Amino acid sequence: MKKLLSIVCGLVFVFSVLTPSASASFADVKSRTRYREAINHIADLGIVKGYEDGTYQPLKNINRAEFTKIIIEAKYPGKAVGSDCFGDVGNEWFAKYVCYAKGKGIVEGNPDGTFRAGSEINTAEAYKIVFATMLDSPVYDESGEWYEKYLEYAKANDLDFSSSLNASHAVTRGEMAEMIHLVLLNNEVGEHEQAILDIVNEERRKEGLAELKYNKVLEKVAYLHAKDMFENNFFGHINNKREDPTARMEKYYEDRNWVNYKVGENIWEWEKPSSYEVDHLTNEVIYGDFGWMQSDEHKDNILSPDFKELGVGYYKTPNGKVFFVQNFGRIEF
């Protein structure tokens, strides 16, 4: 049996993933070390290395030169070149990384024309470099001080390494690992989720509409609702706690800053799919006899000009039933 439902609501909610398993690879990174998983994740990817004594030193502060090198090598391995790009940057070991970053518009330096490579990097500076290097055209709230938009973006997209970010806080090596780890996970989209996004954007292009950007926050809420429908044996937009999409958003982000938000939700279930292949499932959920494009309400969500983002929750239950949840959104800063 296949079922589908849709809903659209406006809301105000607060701003604030599957993680790879890792075993400690540094002498000072133990099972209870904070950011252990992040440290081992980026070490496994070759983004960071430890010290000669086999330690990582997660509590050690990191300076602007070291941070820039790590981020540039993570995104552009072996490509960094350049020298003499700031008043205090000549041919030092870090020059090629800093100058390459400057050429990419990732770093700008200080008003006096210096870079201050040896200075500890603070939270705002670190996020600015990470986002400029590793994210595709992030949309910021440009009001307020220059640094506020980076902290707010981190909170809004679950990329904050602390629940109380401080712009001037000196970033540690452990926090740096968590920042990169979260951004890498944020950029990962599963096969089913990507296929749904591609189909939705294809339909939007046919109508001359802007494509939707994938949003991992919306994916997270969508996935949790899909899982909840199975575990608590219901099918609908309101769960057994009487929480509609608005309440679920509010509850999930209750410790963040408030923003205006519009959300639309499509849900779908299939009792016994004949195949779990990505193309089979995603084409059925969109174009099948009970597909979203066959229903005016669901189609309206997919083709709404009001939405700018999409998150997809795909959940295959232990007994083989399949749930899909689409959360459409528009964040208004």
Side-chain angles (χ1 to χ4, degrees):
M1 179 182 293
K2 302 166 192 172
K3 299 179 184 177
L4 70 166
L5 282 174
S6 71
I7 192 171
V8 179
C9 21
L11 63 143
V12 177
F13 83 105
V14 281
F15 256 174
S16 19
V17 275
L18 298 175
T19 55
S21 60
S23 56
S25 56
F26 300 104
D28 58 344
V29 178
K30 308 296 184 182
S31 60
R32 295 186 179 181
T33 300
R34 191 177 186 188
Y35 308 131
R36 170 182 175 270
E37 188 167 33
I39 293 167
N40 286 317
H41 179 199
I42 67 172
D44 289 343
L45 295 174
I47 294 173
V48 296
K49 296 180 180 179
Y51 293 93
E52 291 184 358
D53 63 358
T55 64
Y56 178 80
Q57 300 183 27
L59 298 180
K60 182 179 179 180
N61 291 342
I62 186 168
N63 66 35
R64 290 164 58 85
E66 295 166 334
F67 192 92
T68 303
K69 175 190 174 182
I70 288 170
I71 300 301
I72 292 299
E73 278 295 296
K75 180 67 175 181
Y76 307 104
K79 294 183 178 180
V81 293
S83 62
D84 302 303
C85 55
F86 289 104
D88 58 348
V89 176
N91 292 297
E92 300 89 347
W93 67 267
F94 54 79
K96 62 181 181 180
Y97 305 107
V98 173
C99 294
Y100 190 79
K102 182 181 181 183
K104 289 281 187 182
I106 295 168
V107 299
E108 299 174 358
N110 301 292
D112 62 0
T114 64
F115 182 71
R116 301 176 191 167
S119 298
E120 294 174 343
I121 193 165
N122 64 40
T123 300
E125 295 167 336
Y127 273 126
K128 178 181 178 180
I129 291 174
V130 170
F131 293 163
T133 306
M134 306 182 78
L135 295 181
D136 179 23
S137 303
V139 179
Y140 300 117
D141 173 10
E142 297 291 349
S143 64
E145 298 294 333
W146 72 267
Y147 57 83
E148 292 176 341
K149 60 185 179 183
Y150 302 112
L151 273 59
E152 289 302 318
Y153 187 90
K155 293 175 182 178
N157 291 279
D158 257 5
L159 301 176
D160 44 338
F161 61 79
S162 170
S163 59
S164 55
L165 294 180
N166 184 323
S168 61
H169 166 75
V171 174
T172 67
R173 285 170 54 82
E175 291 165 345
M176 171 205 66
E178 182 72 356
M179 293 170 73
I180 299 172
H181 170 70
L182 291 174
V183 170
L184 290 173
L185 293 180
N186 188 69
N187 286 338
E188 292 180 359
V189 181
E191 288 184 317
H192 294 84
E193 294 83 353
Q194 183 65 54
I196 293 291
L197 176 67
D198 291 343
I199 296 172
V200 166
N201 280 334
E202 181 180 352
E203 292 297 333
R204 291 177 68 86
R205 285 193 297 270
K206 292 177 184 178
E207 301 298 324
L209 297 168
E211 295 186 5
L212 300 179
K213 288 194 172 184
Y214 199 75
N215 186 301
K216 294 289 284 189
V217 174
L218 292 176
E219 177 194 292
K220 185 179 297 183
V221 177
Y223 173 81
L224 290 174
H225 187 59
K227 190 169 182 285
D228 185 36
M229 283 191 288
F230 168 70
E231 292 179 344
N232 289 289
N233 193 31
F234 75 97
F235 182 76
H237 299 289
I238 300 176
N239 63 23
N240 291 351
K241 296 179 181 179
R242 308 307 301 166
E243 296 167 338
D244 62 10
T246 300
R248 297 202 305 272
M249 289 288 187
E250 290 176 349
K251 180 179 179 180
Y252 196 80
Y253 296 105
E254 62 187 355
D255 61 340
R256 311 294 179 176
N257 296 324
W258 288 92
V259 295
N260 291 322
Y261 201 90
K262 182 174 182 178
V263 65
E265 185 175 81
N266 290 343
I267 62 176
W268 190 88
E269 73 169 22
W270 193 353
E271 189 74 34
K272 294 181 179 179
S274 57
S275 169
Y276 293 95
E277 291 294 324
V278 174
D279 289 346
H280 177 74
L281 285 178
T282 54
N283 276 282
E284 189 69 23
V285 71
I286 298 290
Y287 299 118
D289 292 341
F290 293 88
W292 285 326
M293 288 298 288
Q294 308 304 323
S295 159
D296 288 342
E297 292 180 346
H298 296 78
K299 186 176 180 179
D300 286 347
N301 276 343
I302 290 172
L303 299 180
S304 172
D306 291 336
F307 296 131
K308 296 182 179 180
E309 301 157 304
L310 173 67
V312 179
Y314 166 68
Y315 184 63
K316 179 183 176 183
T317 73
N319 64 5
K321 180 185 288 189
V322 165
F323 287 90
F324 278 92
V325 176
Q326 282 182 315
N327 277 157
F328 301 85
R330 185 187 74 239
I331 296 175
E332 297 176 339
F333 291 103

